[in-house]
Amino acid sequence: MTRIRRVTIGAAMTLLCASFTLAAGKSDVADAVQRGDRTAVQTLLRQKADVNAAQIDGATGLHWAAYNDDLQTADLLIKAGAKVDVANRE
């Protein structure tokens, strides 16, 4: 195998792994709830963001709302279709 081909394959594999890692941990809604940014949560829900998308550890926005004792945000998420029976790593 030529050196150029090995470098090209190696670069492609690196990009592929990086894209899977980023996609697995991408949850704008959960991130906003974790920060306590209710305005961002409301905006994301209006934009039809995935209310059930989980962070890399499996935490969803609803997990964070419960953790933060934020009943108002939990209610928003449930009305937007948040699944109430999803488990995270904890």
Side-chain angles (χ1 to χ4, degrees):
M1 188 180 288
T2 67
R3 184 173 194 274
I4 293 173
R5 188 171 180 184
R6 282 193 306 256
V7 170
T8 302
I9 291 172
M13 293 300 291
T14 300
L15 287 173
L16 183 64
C17 289
S19 67
F20 281 128
T21 300
L22 289 174
K26 184 71 172 154
S27 175
D28 294 334
V29 174
D31 294 343
V33 178
Q34 181 181 13
R35 291 190 311 270
D37 189 347
R38 190 173 293 131
T39 302
V41 172
Q42 292 169 332
T43 299
L44 289 163
L45 294 178
R46 278 194 301 275
Q47 295 172 352
K48 305 296 183 201
D50 185 359
V51 71
N52 292 302
Q55 295 171 326
I56 199 146
D57 66 349
T60 64
L62 192 55
H63 287 116
W64 281 110
Y67 179 81
N68 292 327
D69 244 358
D70 187 346
L71 185 59
Q72 187 176 358
T73 299
D75 189 50
L76 284 173
L77 296 172
I78 292 168
K79 287 178 180 175
K83 296 177 183 174
V84 297
D85 59 352
V86 176
N88 65 6
R89 280 196 310 211
E90 301 299 320

